[in-house]
Amino acid sequence: MLAGVVLLATACTADPGEPSGEGGAPEAVDALAGFADQELAWDECDSGPSGTECATYEVPLDYEAPGGERIGIAVKRLPASGGDALGSLLVNPGGPGGSGYDFVDHAPHIVSSAVRKRFDVVGFDPRGVGRSSPLTCMDAEGIDEFLGGVDSVEGDGDMSEVTDAEQRELEEDSRDFVEACQANDPELMLHMGTADVARDMDILRALVGDEQLTYLGASYGTHIGAQYAEQFPDRVRALVLDGAMDPSQGQLDLSVQQAAGFETALRAFVEDCLDLPDCPLGGSGDSVDDGVDALSGFLADTAEEPLSNSMDDREVNRARAELGVLAALYTENWWPRVREGLTAGMEDGDGTVLMQLADDLYNRGEPAAYENSTAALIAVNCSDSPSPRDVQAYADAAAEAGEESPIFGPTLAWGALPCAYWPEEAVAPSAELDGEGADPVMVVGTTRDSATPYAWSEALAEQLDSGFLVTRDGDGHTGYRMGDQCVDETVDAYLIDLAVPEDGMACV
């Protein structure tokens, strides 16, 4: 998140068929069953570490019309390192818009050596993402402008106090984005929801020859897993949902709630910074509130006088500086970089490091990936749950989010505005996912998670009939393979031996 011998897989041993408990016209069922007749022609990958193998398979664009247009799904696997494999472990890094295909390249880091020995690690780019019939809305220049924030001369870039002119600009930019998606691929944008991704994943489960699914999903990947448990409960072997989303919430509500997670992470970062001799936000005698105030003042200054950027001609305005700080809150590993970026910005007016952090967050290093990951992020978010069509609801949400997180909250709320213009026929209803009938499902929550607040993991574990929560007390986004031996051992034992700890287990 971001080569080998040629193999030809036999046809699947389990039929993807219809979701459990759902009916369907006989011809539709027959058409879906035909997808089980595919073969995965594993071949040497064009990228990735030695030993990885790649293939493609096809799924219906529209599961309501499975005999119609098909789209291709790109898949990569790294075979198990041991001789006693249990099957495949399907993985997804989140996003939406993250590449599961590329995620496999990091297998030594994303799973333990014990898991690597027992499972083929398999990742796929979800429909509309990366190498899987990608949805593209704007080019890189258009996305730069879209993410660069409002530029009305009447405002100062502070999203908590949006002027009438700034609001009109936000509305126009959001409509332009949706219209660009409609112009480029009007059919695909109607079928980007996570429920369809889960069905695509069930076809892949069957094609790799597993009767039941073993899966590790991080962040947005937890929503894929929860959808899978809802649709295919009898096909669940083990699901690890790490850094969970709450599928019962609408997109705007999620944005407001996410503000609380980033505020918690920001204050943890500031507290750590103030204990260091080179902290640009103050010293050991200052409070966390003092440090946050220093950051707020700096960001306000960037609205008046943007920072320079040695990479290209983009100005590092308030929106981009905020994104740079926000990006660093995903992991403690990036805290030194944001301190470096803040120091350079405050002392020299140089925003290059903050711009680099913002670019990393949106995968801008490769323009094509940048274009697609942003399009997929918005398309999936807007497809997965209803959003208000009244712009005033976003203004009200921005005010509410600002109470939780004065720096990031209003921006997060306004960032959901494209969903107000998303085609209504593409939007799934909000619903709790209980996965009734599934074997035990593990939810991992981190207490000071920035992007997926801990409360979401608690909520998902409660909603799932067989869900159980494993808590990591720590900072950063997600919990597995983040340095907590207790969490790692608990996850490994569940994946390998299906060992289920006591519900509510805390690792401290």
Side-chain angles (χ1 to χ4, degrees):
M1 194 182 100
L2 151 265
V5 296
V6 177
L7 295 177
L8 185 66
T10 58
C12 63
T13 59
D15 181 358
E18 283 288 298
S20 300
E22 293 189 10
E27 59 271 21
V29 174
D30 290 344
L32 278 172
F35 287 92
D37 296 331
Q38 299 178 80
E39 293 182 336
L40 291 173
W42 296 108
D43 203 348
E44 181 178 352
C45 298
D46 58 6
S47 65
S50 175
T52 54
E53 303 162 345
C54 294
T56 60
Y57 67 103
E58 291 185 332
V59 298
L61 172 65
D62 181 359
Y63 276 95
E64 295 300 312
E69 182 179 350
R70 297 183 172 205
I71 57 176
I73 304 296
V75 58
K76 177 184 285 188
R77 76 173 176 186
L78 182 63
S81 61
D84 187 21
L86 292 170
S88 296
L89 171 66
L90 273 61
V91 297
N92 180 275
S99 171
Y101 183 101
D102 291 337
F103 200 42
V104 173
D105 296 347
H106 307 286
H109 305 288
I110 64 175
V111 298
S112 70
S113 59
V115 171
R116 277 275 298 108
K117 289 179 181 178
R118 302 303 301 276
F119 293 96
D120 297 342
V121 179
V122 178
F124 67 101
D125 282 352
R127 57 171 54 214
V129 173
R131 299 166 181 83
S132 295
S133 303
L135 174 69
T136 300
C137 297
M138 290 180 164
D139 61 17
E141 182 179 356
I143 293 175
D144 278 339
E145 294 178 1
F146 179 75
L147 296 177
V150 293
D151 56 14
S152 168
V153 295
E154 294 184 21
D156 62 0
D158 183 354
M159 299 298 286
S160 66
E161 299 178 355
V162 171
T163 67
D164 289 344
E166 288 174 327
Q167 180 169 317
R168 287 193 296 270
E169 185 179 344
L170 286 167
E171 293 175 45
E172 182 179 354
D173 288 348
S174 296
R175 280 195 298 266
D176 287 348
F177 190 95
V178 176
E179 288 171 1
C181 299
Q182 291 172 320
N184 285 336
D185 206 326
E187 290 303 315
L188 179 58
M189 72 179 294
L190 299 180
H191 302 285
M192 288 286 290
T194 302
D196 282 342
V197 176
R199 299 187 76 169
D200 298 343
M201 186 164 68
D202 189 57
I203 291 176
L204 177 57
R205 170 206 57 79
L207 293 178
V208 297
D210 289 347
E211 292 287 346
Q212 291 183 301
L213 176 72
T214 305
Y215 173 75
L216 169 63
S219 195
Y220 160 72
T222 65
H223 193 181
I224 301 174
Q227 277 282 359
Y228 189 91
E230 182 74 7
Q231 296 187 61
F232 308 102
D234 59 327
R235 300 174 194 170
V236 169
R237 177 186 175 273
L239 309 181
V240 176
L241 310 182
D242 188 4
M245 294 182 63
D246 181 354
S248 69
Q249 302 295 317
Q251 182 55 37
L252 187 55
D253 291 334
L254 288 172
S255 298
V256 172
Q257 294 165 20
Q258 194 176 46
F262 278 110
E263 182 68 14
T264 299
L266 173 65
R267 296 182 73 84
F269 162 74
V270 171
E271 182 177 15
D272 178 79
C273 181
L274 293 174
D275 287 335
L276 301 173
D278 59 348
C279 178
L281 302 177
S284 59
D286 295 319
S287 68
V288 172
D289 286 339
D290 292 332
V292 172
D293 287 344
L295 176 60
S296 297
F298 164 69
L299 292 172
D301 289 344
T302 64
E304 297 291 333
E305 185 175 352
L307 308 173
S308 63
N309 165 29
S310 63
M311 297 186 298
D312 50 43
D313 60 359
R314 289 174 296 162
E315 289 185 332
V316 185
N317 59 7
R318 181 179 182 130
R320 291 182 173 125
E322 278 188 19
L323 280 178
V325 177
L326 186 81
L329 300 181
Y330 277 79
T331 170
E332 288 179 87
N333 294 334
W334 281 11
W335 287 5
R337 285 191 70 196
V338 78
R339 289 197 303 269
E340 176 190 351
L342 289 172
T343 299
M346 290 177 170
E347 296 183 358
D348 304 319
D350 183 354
T352 303
V353 173
L354 292 176
M355 189 79 264
Q356 289 171 338
L357 286 164
D359 286 351
D360 288 345
L361 180 63
Y362 280 92
N363 203 17
R364 193 182 183 276
E366 301 178 23
Y370 178 53
E371 296 164 10
N372 175 243
S373 63
T374 305
L377 172 72
I378 294 173
V380 175
N381 284 341
C382 294
S383 298
D384 273 352
S385 60
S387 298
R389 300 284 162 167
D390 180 6
V391 177
Q392 184 58 43
Y394 296 82
D396 295 341
E400 181 183 351
E403 293 295 321
E404 295 286 349
S405 174
I407 292 177
F408 301 120
T411 301
L412 290 169
W414 280 113
L417 186 57
C419 297
Y421 307 104
W422 205 254
E424 292 193 29
E425 64 268 31
V427 181
S430 291
E432 291 190 3
L433 304 178
D434 58 27
E436 182 180 357
D439 283 343
V441 175
M442 175 182 286
V443 180
V444 181
T446 295
T447 54
R448 293 180 295 281
D449 194 311
S450 53
T452 51
Y454 178 66
W456 291 357
S457 292
E458 292 181 304
L460 182 59
E462 179 67 25
Q463 290 167 35
L464 292 169
D465 278 6
S466 62
F468 64 95
L469 180 65
V470 174
T471 297
R472 169 180 168 254
D473 182 17
D475 298 294
H477 185 34
T478 71
Y480 180 53
R481 301 288 288 168
M482 292 290 286
D484 189 311
Q485 182 178 355
C486 170
V487 171
D488 292 354
E489 291 178 349
T490 303
V491 172
D492 287 354
Y494 169 68
L495 287 174
I496 296 171
D497 299 320
L498 301 180
V500 178
E502 181 181 354
D503 188 20
M505 172 183 178
C507 287
V508 285

